[in-house]
Amino acid sequence: MLKMKKTIGLLAVTAVMAAGMLTGCGGDTAKDSSQSGQDTSAEGKTYTIRIAGNSESQRSENIIRACDRLTEQLAAEGCTDVVRGEYIMVPNDYQNEMALWNKTGDLPELIVGNVIMMHEFADAGFLTSAEDLINGEVYSQKLLPNMRDAVLVNGTHYGVPQDVDVRCVWINKEHLKQLGWSEEEMEALPRKAEEGQFTEGDLQALAKEAVDKGVSEWGIIHRPVFGSEFHLMLMMHGGQELYRDGKVVLDRSALTDTLTFLKQNVDMGLTPPELTTYGWEVVEGDLMPNGKTFCWYGGIWNKYDMMSAANVTAQFVDENFILILPPVVERGDTPISLSEPQAYAMTKQAASDPKLQEYCERVLEIVLDPDLQMYTTIETAHVAITSEMLEYPGYKSDEFMAKNSYMVEYTTMPVSDPMVRNQFLNASWFTAIQNVEMGSSDVETAVNTLIDEVTYSVGEGSYIVQD
Amino acid sequence: MKHSRQGKKDKTDGDDLRRKLFPYKMLSPFFVLTGIFVAVPIILMIAISFSSMGLDLQWEFAGWSNYKRVLADSSIPIITLRTVLFVVICTVLSVLGSIFIALMTTYYLDIAYKRENAGLLFRIIWLIPSLTPSVVYVFIWRFVFGSNTQALINGVLDKLGIAPVTWLANYPMQILIFICCLSSASGSVILFASAIRQIPDNIIQAARVDGASNFYIMRKIIMPYLRWPITQKTLWSVLSFFCTYEIIMLLTAGGPGGKTTTFAYYIYKNAFELHKFGLGSALSVLLVAMSALIGLVVLRVTKVEKQLYPPRMDW
């Protein structure tokens, strides 16, 4: 009996001690650390911010450093919390991976992805609002105004831009010289395009001259897979409005004009008919850097890609190419460009703990520091997104950026609605281009097929067809 | 006495029951595994096909809407026709290819000409396509059929002064069929080779004594022995070609202009690219029904029930 009493007493003391220890260490944050992204120690808490990014977002270094910098700032403020960044690379199947993370309740706190992807994630309920962040002092002061709505989904900001690209036309300088252009004429070309005095027809004529004179093998090329350059071409031919009141807008005349332009290029011998079956290694690794094409519809990031794909130097790219805004269709029109920024967004996991969300927001503010912005601008050939960066010596001293950053003033954000992106632009629009360029279909049939496909795909009441 | 007789009867009944249940007890692990990995996914697939599940993976009842969409999809007839042609051509070529390779390496080299080492070496070489991971396998073929002069065939053509050909643009389906058949034929060499090796030597020797030529032996003795492996290979090929999507995804992404989009790839595209899991599941239900139907036709045509009675390889 006495032995039993002793045992009960010992158990009671142990239980009291255990309860006391738990209260002392954890306090109000005695949560599962793996779920909340935090760990507790006697001095303070360690917050692990997991950042998931796809293979295009290999620029993780800046955000990891931003986490370290936040820890330093917290220490300076007398707080002993530690913030640690952990980058999770998701090379493929990003969306499906996110869906599974969400299902298991273990979303990473931050994600990096293009703005189109963010729209899908916001619609699926993975993200938390970034209104406080974007309306806060730091973003209001630093972010360029036309970047503000990069991740605006149904009236709510769900993220902030990480970088910004601009779509443009690259022209081979050497080819222009061989066509008899002087240095002054070449220097003046970007300005002429900016003023709307250099048209698509002018570009076609020049490219044709280059091909006919044997200066280059091809005249005008574009990306080999679906992407926003084709979206921009459609906009330039009158299809600015692709989405209205929750419906896909199919502008028959814009679709016809764009396909006609692409078909003309093939018929004139400017574009390889099978271009859309080439790999990037051919386009960026050979045709572009090796002077096999007079020009191409691409983007500012092609510099970085060419350097990686063809092992050419930045100096080679700077010396051999001129970038201009995509030429207007009608002389005197104002040129337009299109950007598809990478963006950061906070998931609902970040919002699960106010402190964690606060740190995530602070990390996203720190990442705007110019030295950290260098990772996502100069190093990957993207344009500055902050006014501070435009004046930063490291950015300003880069001749390529100094020359071409003005294009960001002409840029627009893409239509990111998944219905427009997935069913119209990425699938049917690209197939129509492919069929027209390869001669499998004439323009009229391709437009009709596209309209049939998209109207079926999005369903009754979700489309507007206009002539 | 009566009790004792009754007790004995009960014991006998119990033994009978135990004996009857024994096979099921032995099969129970299989039933459990099949239930978890086959039956449950099928039930889930059917359930999802009646939902509007999207990226959020939320199950919302949608009635027959996905099936109605499939029936209204104008691209389904052409995709179905393309898939059936793809499956039929690939199955025929891969079965013939497997038999051809097995005959060359096992009958001619091993048996007829007693060059067993050479036969083994060729069989091992022929196995490489099926042992190579799909990604690597397709990457190699993309290099072979690449459009620029750095690619293998176009590089050779360039050296010979012949203009490069954009193979994957001009012959996408032909190339797809070729590489699918090669991989499939390669994987079945072991099956056919072992079937040929099981033919008793005395039968072949007796045929030789009677003056039969190699071709005659092959036609009249070996081929009848291969009926069961042919049935198995045909059925397996039909089902696997119906489900082929990863090679298509890696080689052509269903293009150009949808020319290599088969039913399985269309399912993948809807479910995992457009995140219409409900629609993808409805399409999957139809694919399962279609492949089951064709599988049954294959079994009927090959008269599989007759092959099941006698010993399969050495009758």
Side-chain angles (χ1 to χ4, degrees), chain A residues 93 95-96 99-100 102-103 120-121 124 126 274 277-278 282 286 422-423 431 434-435 438 440 456-457 459, chain B residues 55-58 69-70 72-73 142 147-148 150 166 169-170 256-259 269 272-277:
Chain A
D93 226 8
Q95 281 99 324
N96 295 312
L100 295 174
N102 179 58
K103 200 70 185 168
E120 274 190 273
F121 294 159
F126 301 163
E274 301 91 0
T277 63
Y278 289 4
V282 178
D286 184 26
N422 295 339
Q423 277 132 11
T431 304
Q434 208 166 32
N435 281 331
M438 290 178 66
S440 310
Y456 157 74
S457 187
Chain B
L55 199 60
D56 56 2
L57 303 184
Q58 296 298 314
R69 282 181 68 83
V70 173
D73 187 345
R142 281 190 71 94
S147 52
N148 60 353
Q150 271 87 51
T166 43
N170 294 318
K259 283 176 192 155
K269 204 170 151 185
F272 295 103
E273 286 183 3
L274 301 177
H275 306 114
K276 294 178 183 170
F277 294 111

Side-chain angles (χ1 to χ4, degrees), chain A residues 86-108:
Chain A
E86 188 183 296
Y87 195 78
I88 307 168
M89 176 75 86
V90 189
N92 286 310
D93 226 8
Y94 195 11
Q95 281 99 324
N96 295 312
E97 194 80 33
M98 283 289 288
L100 295 174
W101 267 327
N102 179 58
K103 200 70 185 168
T104 55
D106 192 30
L107 281 164

Side-chain angles (χ1 to χ4, degrees), chain B residues 201-255:
Chain B
D201 281 350
N202 55 353
I203 296 180
I204 294 173
Q205 280 164 9
R208 280 194 203 290
V209 170
D210 289 344
S213 67
N214 275 331
F215 183 72
Y216 191 85
I217 292 171
M218 195 181 75
R219 207 158 54 88
K220 293 287 181 186
I221 298 175
I222 295 177
M223 290 308 284
Y225 270 94
L226 295 182
R227 275 180 67 191
W228 174 258
I230 288 172
T231 306
Q232 196 204 356
K233 167 70 185 162
T234 306
L235 190 59
W236 180 254
S237 297
V238 166
L239 299 180
S240 64
F241 287 127
F242 258 114
C243 299
T244 297
Y245 79 93
E246 79 280 16
I247 289 184
I248 300 172
M249 184 176 76
L250 294 164
L251 188 75
T252 60

Side-chain angles (χ1 to χ4, degrees), chain A residues 160-178:
Chain A
V160 290
Q162 183 201 43
D163 66 15
V164 68
D165 49 36
V166 276
R167 274 151 187 81
C168 54
V169 170
W170 289 68
I171 300 178
N172 191 301
K173 230 171 155 178
E174 192 54 39
H175 293 170
L176 280 176
K177 272 186 204 162
Q178 288 180 39

Side-chain angles (χ1 to χ4, degrees), chain A residues 12 42-43 55 73 90-91 119 138 165 188 196 202 215 221 235 242 314 354 360 377 447 454 466:
Chain A
E43 295 84 32
S55 53
Q73 285 182 7
V90 189
H119 195 129
V138 175
D165 49 36
D202 297 335
V215 169
I221 64 165
M235 289 170 71
L242 301 185
C360 286
T377 53
V447 171
V454 177
Q466 60 190 33

Side-chain angles (χ1 to χ4, degrees), chain B residues 22-41:
Chain B
F22 182 72
Y24 297 102
K25 280 182 187 167
M26 294 304 287
L27 283 171
S28 56
F30 169 76
F31 285 138
V32 171
L33 289 174
T34 309
I36 293 170
F37 295 110
V38 179
V40 171

Side-chain angles (χ1 to χ4, degrees), chain A residues 46-117:
Chain A
T46 298
Y47 288 84
T48 301
I49 297 177
R50 293 166 300 163
I51 310 113
N54 63 10
S55 53
E56 279 192 2
S57 310
Q58 59 277 70
R59 295 152 284 175
S60 58
E61 189 65 24
N62 59 343
I63 201 142
I64 304 287
R65 289 196 175 204
C67 290
D68 296 342
R69 200 166 285 182
L70 176 59
T71 303
E72 288 164 20
Q73 285 182 7
L74 291 171
E77 290 163 15
C79 175
T80 49
D81 285 350
V82 173
V83 179
R84 209 165 56 83
E86 188 183 296
Y87 195 78
I88 307 168
M89 176 75 86
V90 189
N92 286 310
D93 226 8
Y94 195 11
Q95 281 99 324
N96 295 312
E97 194 80 33
M98 283 289 288
L100 295 174
W101 267 327
N102 179 58
K103 200 70 185 168
T104 55
D106 192 30
L107 281 164
E109 285 72 27
L110 290 180
I111 54 170
V112 190
N114 70 34
V115 291
I116 291 152
M117 209 182 273

